[in-house]
């Protein structure tokens, strides 16, 4: 067993619609270890994105607790939670969330700017990541000048340029064709095996699920199965 990095303890999430409770997650216990390549699988409405948001300190649980490196996240102030996200997590969103007025290089540099990395260093690190991703020729193009696959690679660059401990990806292949999706997964597997980045994806895409070395299946807000396996 590896080192635990994230642990949920009876964590749950309930939303309210006109006073009617909607249970997105029922009390759930799960442990994630450093170096895992995990896929949280399940149909729409199963609680995948909710769990991912709680793990990444993007949302707060209605009950229970999420622990990062043994410390509870909920008691943290808004600033402390933002700092945790900034320094420890890389996020890849289904909608890419690139800043439209910035070019690809500036989008990738953006988080380093927030981290107060000196200009020369952040430029060098961003260009190195773009070369690794095969998108260095896009450096001065804005998002509206790129294909969906190119935008997704820029989003990946932004997520990994900070050398995060964990990358969280919500339905990363949802807007991509199968070939581009496979290329993206190849890239993330490389980052996981070569650089030790912990990857936790949420997806209902069979192509993504097939790549996971651990598959957590959710159904109606509960863990239906938790399988560890080796991949060829």
């Amino acid at each position: 067993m590896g080192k635990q990095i994230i642990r949920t303890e009876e964590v749950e999430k309930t939303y309210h619609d006109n006073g009617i409770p909607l249970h997105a997650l029922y009390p759930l216990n799960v442990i994630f270890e450093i170096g895992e390549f995990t896929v949280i699988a399940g149909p729409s409405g199963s609680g995948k994105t909710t769990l991912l948001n709680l793990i990444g300190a993007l949302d707060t649980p209605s009950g229970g607790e999420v622990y990062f490196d043994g410390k509870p996240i909920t008691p943290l102030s808004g600033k402390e939670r933002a700092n945790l996200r900034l320094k420890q997590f890389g996020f890849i969103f289904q909608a890419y969330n690139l800043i439209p007025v910035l070019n690809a290089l500036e989008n990738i540099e953006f988080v380093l700017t927030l981290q107060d990395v000196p200009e020369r260093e952040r430029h060098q690190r961003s260009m190195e990541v773009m070369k690794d991703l095969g998108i260095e020729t896009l450096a001065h193009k804005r998002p509206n000048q790129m294909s969906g696959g190119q935008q997704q690679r820029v989003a990946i660059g932004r997520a990994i340029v900070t050398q995060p401990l964990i990358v969280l990806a919500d339905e990363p292949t949802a807007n991509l064709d199968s070939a581009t999706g496979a290329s993206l997964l190849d890239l993330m597997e490389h980052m996981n095996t070569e650089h030790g980045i912990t990857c936790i994806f949420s997806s209902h895409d069979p192509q993504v699920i097939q790549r996971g070395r651990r598959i957590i299946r959710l159904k109606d807000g509960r863990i239906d199965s938790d399988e560890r396996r080796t991949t060829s």
Side-chain angles (χ1 to χ4, degrees):
M1 299 290 286
K3 180 184 176 183
Q4 295 181 13
I5 189 61
I6 295 174
R7 173 170 60 91
T8 73
E9 187 175 279
E10 295 294 301
V11 73
E12 59 183 303
K13 185 66 179 182
T14 302
Y15 300 98
H16 290 84
D17 184 8
N18 294 323
I20 300 173
L22 303 173
H23 300 289
L25 279 182
Y26 290 88
L28 181 152
N29 298 291
V30 64
I31 291 171
F32 297 93
E33 298 173 356
I34 290 177
E36 284 190 0
F37 195 102
T38 299
V39 178
I40 302 170
S44 296
S46 60
K48 304 186 302 296
T49 299
T50 299
L51 178 56
L52 209 67
N53 288 342
L54 293 175
I55 289 170
L58 292 169
D59 198 0
T60 55
S62 304
E65 185 57 85
V66 179
Y67 294 86
F68 179 86
D69 199 20
K71 300 175 182 177
I73 292 177
T74 302
L76 299 179
S77 67
K79 184 176 181 179
E80 289 170 330
R81 291 165 64 88
N83 195 48
L84 176 66
R85 293 192 297 267
L86 182 64
K87 293 185 176 180
Q88 303 293 353
F89 291 96
F91 296 94
I92 303 172
F93 300 99
Q94 182 177 338
Y96 314 138
N97 288 2
L98 300 180
I99 301 172
V101 298
L102 301 182
N103 63 34
L105 177 60
E106 291 166 339
N107 265 284
I108 291 174
E109 285 186 332
F110 182 71
V111 180
L112 296 177
T113 303
L114 296 178
Q115 293 183 341
D116 295 324
V117 174
E119 181 179 1
R120 184 174 180 179
E121 180 183 346
R122 68 175 185 255
H123 181 81
Q124 180 180 355
R125 285 170 59 178
S126 297
M127 285 305 301
E128 287 176 355
V129 164
M130 294 191 80
K131 288 178 182 177
D132 288 343
L133 296 172
I135 54 172
E136 64 270 26
T137 59
L138 302 176
H140 300 294
K141 289 190 176 182
R142 292 185 178 182
N144 65 0
Q145 298 172 307
M146 294 182 260
S147 68
Q150 290 170 335
Q151 290 184 57
Q152 186 68 301
R153 284 178 178 264
V154 173
I156 292 171
R158 181 183 57 192
I160 65 177
V161 73
T162 60
Q163 301 168 349
L165 187 61
I166 301 171
V167 169
L168 301 177
D170 186 20
E171 298 284 4
T173 61
N175 298 319
L176 305 177
D177 61 67
S178 58
T180 304
S183 177
L184 180 152
L185 293 169
D186 289 342
L187 175 65
M188 295 311 301
E189 283 184 339
H190 174 77
M191 298 305 301
N192 173 254
T193 56
E194 296 300 319
H195 300 282
I197 293 177
T198 303
C199 296
I200 305 175
F201 294 175
S202 73
S203 184
H204 64 270
D205 182 353
Q207 182 178 214
V208 178
I209 296 169
Q210 184 180 5
R211 300 290 190 103
R213 292 196 298 275
R214 180 185 183 189
I215 312 298
I216 299 173
R217 295 185 185 274
L218 297 185
K219 183 178 181 181
D220 299 328
R222 296 182 171 90
I223 293 180
D224 192 46
S225 65
D226 186 348
E227 173 191 3
R228 295 180 187 270
R229 66 190 188 193
T230 58
T231 55
S232 58

